[in-house]
């Protein structure tokens, strides 16, 4: 994956490695008890071991992995209850963002989000899951920015890795990507019309369906 981890990319390689590993853990590619070996990961990603080590250290601080004597770094079990707690937090924060966005939205932001929706639809029609997931993350970021509350946006950004992983996993359910796109349209339509309560309602429906989709995929 030389292109993905290129020095020319905007964010540092260590951040890309961290996001890659965290996503892989959250979507179940690396399961509880699996070893994460620096040398093997470095060879897989065609990079040096230093950013791997830094990413693993960061993941250990967040309790996604732990160091076991004579075994090395292994993946921790993430309780289902913790994932459901994240969905509850996302529902609260994104609902607030939708309400504030409905109060403050302007034509310039709407134009940007409309263009993003076109790109999301194109990705969905082409079956490009990777693009669809990244565009979903951008959509959530734009709604967070439109809320006009920097602290709220900061809190949502802190959860974007979860959003990406949840979207990645749930997109494997037949029809879920198309359904989620319509849910985004519903939210955006309510925001565009300044209908705060409706924007909140559509956001909560979207998060509940996303939660169910995630749980379904984990249980497969």
């Amino acid at each position: 994956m030389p292109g993905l981890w290129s020095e020319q990319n905007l964010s540092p390689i260590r951040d890309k490695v961290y996001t890659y590993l965290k996503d892989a853990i959250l979507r179940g590619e690396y399961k509880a008890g699996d070893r994460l070996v620096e040398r093997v990961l470095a060879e897989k990603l065609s990079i040096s071991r230093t950013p791997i080590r830094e990413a693993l250290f960061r993941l250990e601080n967040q309790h996604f992995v732990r160091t076991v004597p004579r075994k090395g770094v292994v993946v921790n079990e993430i309780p289902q209850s913790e994932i459901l707690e994240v969905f509850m937090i996302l529902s609260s924060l994104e609902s607030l963002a939708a309400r504030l966005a409905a109060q403050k939205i302007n034509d310039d932001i709407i134009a940007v989000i409309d263009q993003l929706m076109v790109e999301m639809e194109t990705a969905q029609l082409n079956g490009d899951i990777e693009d669809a997931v990244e565009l979903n993350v951008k959509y959530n970021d734009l709604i967070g920015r439109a809320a006009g509350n920097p602290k709220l946006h900061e809190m949502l950004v802190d959860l974007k890795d979860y959003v990406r992983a949840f979207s990645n996993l749930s997109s494997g359910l037949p029809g879920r990507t198309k359904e989620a796109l319509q849910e985004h349209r519903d939210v955006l339509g309510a925001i565009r019309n300044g209908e705060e309560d409706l924007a909140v309602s559509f956001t909560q429906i979207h998060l509940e369906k996303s939660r169910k989709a995630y749980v379904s995929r984990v249980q497969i």
Side-chain angles (χ1 to χ4, degrees):
M1 299 185 217
L4 180 62
W5 309 104
S6 168
E7 295 281 1
Q8 282 72 41
N9 283 314
L10 294 178
S11 57
I13 292 179
R14 63 175 178 274
D15 290 344
K16 292 184 178 294
V17 176
Y18 164 79
T19 298
Y20 168 79
L21 292 176
K22 188 174 180 179
D23 280 1
I25 292 170
L26 286 170
R27 67 175 177 259
E29 181 179 334
Y30 294 121
K31 302 184 184 302
D34 284 353
R35 294 180 64 207
L36 297 180
V37 181
E38 287 181 17
R39 175 183 53 78
V40 174
L41 290 170
E43 291 175 358
K44 180 179 180 179
L45 302 177
S46 300
I47 58 175
S48 71
R49 293 169 64 169
T50 300
I52 301 288
R53 189 176 304 117
E54 292 174 347
L56 291 175
F57 178 74
R58 194 168 161 190
L59 288 167
E60 186 163 17
N61 283 339
Q62 296 181 336
H63 308 293
F64 284 99
V65 302
R66 68 185 187 280
T67 301
V68 178
R70 295 184 297 278
K71 193 172 183 180
V73 178
V74 299
V75 176
N76 273 334
E77 180 176 1
I78 302 175
Q80 195 71 3
S81 59
E82 183 175 321
I83 297 298
L84 297 182
E85 285 173 3
V86 172
F87 270 109
M88 288 177 61
I89 294 168
L90 277 172
S91 183
S92 296
L93 295 179
E94 289 192 8
S95 293
L96 177 56
R99 180 178 296 281
L100 293 174
Q103 296 172 5
K104 304 175 181 180
I105 200 73
N106 60 58
D107 290 342
D108 289 340
I109 298 177
I110 284 291
V112 173
I113 300 177
D114 279 341
Q115 177 56 41
L116 187 67
M117 294 295 291
V118 171
E119 294 175 19
M120 291 172 74
E121 183 171 8
T122 300
Q124 183 259 316
L125 290 173
N126 293 338
D128 192 335
I129 299 301
E130 185 176 340
D131 266 4
V133 167
E134 289 305 316
L135 289 167
N136 179 60
V137 172
K138 288 182 180 179
Y139 167 87
N140 283 282
D141 183 69
L142 283 170
I143 297 297
R145 290 180 184 278
N149 186 313
K151 181 54 66 176
L152 173 60
H153 180 248
E154 181 182 326
M155 294 169 74
L156 287 167
V157 167
D158 286 343
L159 293 170
K160 72 177 180 180
D161 290 334
Y162 286 97
V163 172
R164 181 183 291 105
F166 295 159
S167 298
N168 214 325
L169 190 63
S170 62
S171 63
L173 284 177
R176 178 55 195 157
T177 302
K178 183 177 181 180
E179 183 182 51
L181 182 60
Q182 183 57 52
E183 291 161 17
H184 288 320
R185 288 196 191 100
D186 292 339
V187 173
L188 182 58
I191 290 174
R192 186 197 307 271
N193 295 329
E195 298 175 285
E196 300 174 31
D197 291 341
L198 193 58
V200 169
S201 179
F202 280 142
T203 298
Q204 292 173 343
I205 289 170
H206 169 64
L207 264 298
E208 177 59 17
K209 288 186 175 181
S210 297
R211 182 192 68 79
K212 288 180 178 179
Y214 178 84
V215 171
S216 296
R217 284 291 291 162
V218 167
Q219 292 175 346
I220 290 177

